[in-house]
């Protein structure tokens, strides 16, 4: 239980530290990051030069972590037996608790879904609806950025993580792209918690999640146009293992797969690729994600959730943990991590 708690706490911490580290570079290209910050961002910095930073404190979280927090709470409220109603309640709670982030920072899918839930819409019907003229709906990266708790309560059980991830995703991103991206992340997190884990096994679980999530999304959700998440993820892994350095991996992933990383397929494939390039090291992973360019806070949050589960809280340098805690006094992951650990043990 102590080891599992350390890994779960590590996932939550590293995801939120990645979010805070990547927030100042969000929307920037890699060359712009070098220009405006005088080099690579390798610790928490003031993002005042970036309008997307929203005047946050140095090291402060963004909407990514706040959604992750509420989804973790929804999992605990359900006793690990998550339903669409629990997810809808969590999303509505998020919109009410964080006026700084909602509606200003909400992604296109999340914003539309919450509006419809507030009007009394059925959670699953709302998640499946795309409408005409909203090609990004159901395909953006909101589900992937907050899905980690679905993996945290299923250590070493990607199949169980996949089912919980689908329940969490069908309320917001009910397309094959939304399902595949969220399931890839949840399955990677679940495998990263296994005592028999290695980076290769985590990548195989991510591919399993992408493949099965895509299949289930086509059958149960609303098919959306776009490239296969599974195919993109396979390409990301191929790219990384043909690189000689983290910086080279960043550039090639961004150039070949990055694109609009506010969308799920590029964000997830780049995030998991960077986890592989860093060989699971949590700090290397989130630093690389913060410098890759694009939707860096979300990429770093996703990659950090996997790397933190793989390495654990005890692997995080004290300097990083203490700075993050001072910058975010309202975030206390320990009670949620304890609850998720107890839930995970009961779910076995």
């Amino acid at each position: 239980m102590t080891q599992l708690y350390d890994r779960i706490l590590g996932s939550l911490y590293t995801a939120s530290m990645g979010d805070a580290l990547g927030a100042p570079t969000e929307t920037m290209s890699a060359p712009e990051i070098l220009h405006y910050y005088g080099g690579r961002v390798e610790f928490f910095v003031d993002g005042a030069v970036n309008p997307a930073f929203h005047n946050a404190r140095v090291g402060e979280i963004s909407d990514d972590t706040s959604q992750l927090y509420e989804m973790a709470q929804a999992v605990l409220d359900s006793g690990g037996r998550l339903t669409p109603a629990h997810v809808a309640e969590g999303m509505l709670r998020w919109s009410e608790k964080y006026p700084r982030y909602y509606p200003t920072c909400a992604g296109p899918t999340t914003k539309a879904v919450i509006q419809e839930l507030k009007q009394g819409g059925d959670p699953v019907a709302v998640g499946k609806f795309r409408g005409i003229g909203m090609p990004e709906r159901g395909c953006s990266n909101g589900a992937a950025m907050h899905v980690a708790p679905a993996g945290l309560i299923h250590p070493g059980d990607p199949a169980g993580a996949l089912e919980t991830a689908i329940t969490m995703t069908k309320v917001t991103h009910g397309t094959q792209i939304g399902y595949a991206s969220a399931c890839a992340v949840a399955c990677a997190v679940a495998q990263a918690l296994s005592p028999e884990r290695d980076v290769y096994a985590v990548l195989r679980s991510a591919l399993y999640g992408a493949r099965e999530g895509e299949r289930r999304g086509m059958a149960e959700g609303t098919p959306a146009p776009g490239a296969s998440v599974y195919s993109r993820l396979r390409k990301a892994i191929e790219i990384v293992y043909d690189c000689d350095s983290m910086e080279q991996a960043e550039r090639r992933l961004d150039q070949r797969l990055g694109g609009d990383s506010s969308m799920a397929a590029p964000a997830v494939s780049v995030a998991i690729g960077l986890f592989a390039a860093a060989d699971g090291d949590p700090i290397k992973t989130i630093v690389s994600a913060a410098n890759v360019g694009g939707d860096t806070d979300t990429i770093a949050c996703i990659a950090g959730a996997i790397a933190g589960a793989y390495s654990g809280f005890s692997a995080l340098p004290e300097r990083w943990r203490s700075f993050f805690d001072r910058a975010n006094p309202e975030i206390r992951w320990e009670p949620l991590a304890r609850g998720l650990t107890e839930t995970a043990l009961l779910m076995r």
Side-chain angles (χ1 to χ4, degrees):
M1 182 171 180
T2 301
Q3 291 178 349
L4 181 59
Y5 169 76
D6 181 75
R7 295 278 168 73
I8 290 175
L9 183 61
S11 178
L12 298 171
Y13 251 92
T14 312
S16 51
M17 289 198 307
D19 174 28
L21 186 70
T25 60
E26 183 185 8
T27 73
M28 291 181 170
S29 67
E32 287 173 330
I33 293 168
L34 294 174
H35 171 72
Y36 284 104
Y37 292 107
R40 289 171 63 79
V41 171
E42 296 185 335
F43 195 65
F44 303 110
V45 297
D46 187 346
V49 299
N50 186 354
F53 193 55
H54 300 292
N55 299 315
R57 300 184 297 269
V58 177
E60 186 178 0
I61 62 165
S62 79
D63 58 306
D64 299 53
T65 295
S66 59
Q67 281 194 36
L68 176 64
Y69 189 96
E70 294 306 325
M71 284 300 103
Q73 187 61 60
V75 168
L76 294 185
D77 291 344
S78 72
R81 309 295 180 182
L82 197 68
T83 67
H86 290 112
V87 179
E89 288 169 9
M91 294 305 299
L92 290 172
R93 184 169 60 239
W94 175 78
S95 72
E96 293 161 2
K97 280 180 62 177
Y98 303 94
R100 178 169 186 170
Y101 304 132
Y102 178 82
T104 308
C105 300
T109 301
T110 298
K111 187 180 297 185
V113 164
I114 288 175
Q115 289 173 349
E116 290 161 25
L117 289 174
K118 286 179 179 289
Q119 293 167 4
D122 173 77
V124 176
V126 164
K128 289 176 66 174
F129 179 74
R130 294 189 69 245
I132 304 299
M134 283 191 68
E136 72 278 8
R137 180 160 176 171
C139 304
S140 48
N141 58 27
M145 81 186 186
H146 67 224
V147 78
L152 294 177
I153 61 167
H154 293 285
D157 178 18
L162 183 133
E163 294 300 329
T164 302
I166 287 174
T167 300
M168 193 177 288
T169 303
K170 66 173 59 176
V171 176
T172 56
H173 295 71
T175 69
Q176 86 281 9
I177 292 174
Y179 274 43
S181 57
C183 289
V185 176
C187 291
V189 168
Q191 186 60 42
L193 294 175
S194 171
E196 293 80 27
R197 77 204 181 285
D198 57 37
V199 170
Y200 177 68
V202 173
L203 296 178
R204 283 181 60 87
S205 290
L207 287 168
Y208 159 77
R211 183 182 65 248
E212 289 301 302
E214 186 172 288
R215 182 183 66 80
R216 293 279 294 274
M218 290 296 291
E220 302 171 13
T222 301
S228 162
V229 176
Y230 176 77
S231 297
R232 281 178 176 258
L233 186 50
R234 285 193 61 174
K235 185 64 176 177
I237 295 167
E238 176 186 322
I239 289 170
V240 163
Y241 285 119
D242 193 39
C243 292
D244 298 321
S245 67
M246 287 296 298
E247 289 82 358
Q248 187 180 51
E250 290 167 23
R251 298 290 72 76
R252 290 186 179 177
L253 286 168
D254 180 44
Q255 292 164 3
R256 300 181 189 179
L257 295 174
D260 184 1
S261 52
S262 66
M263 295 294 104
V268 168
S269 57
V270 170
I272 294 177
L274 293 175
F275 163 79
D279 201 30
D281 181 280
I283 299 302
K284 286 182 180 178
T285 298
I286 61 174
V287 166
S288 190
N291 287 279
V292 73
D295 198 354
T296 46
D297 58 338
T298 298
I299 294 171
C301 183
I302 293 169
I306 301 169
Y310 184 78
S311 299
F313 178 75
S314 56
L316 298 175
E318 172 59 28
R319 172 173 173 251
W320 285 75
R321 298 185 329 224
S322 59
F323 192 101
F324 177 82
D325 285 341
R326 288 194 300 272
N328 299 278
E330 71 283 5
I331 295 294
R332 284 293 174 262
W333 284 123
E334 291 83 355
L336 280 179
R338 283 194 294 270
L340 292 170
T341 303
E342 293 166 0
T343 301
L345 293 173
L346 290 172
M347 297 284 287
R348 284 182 172 177

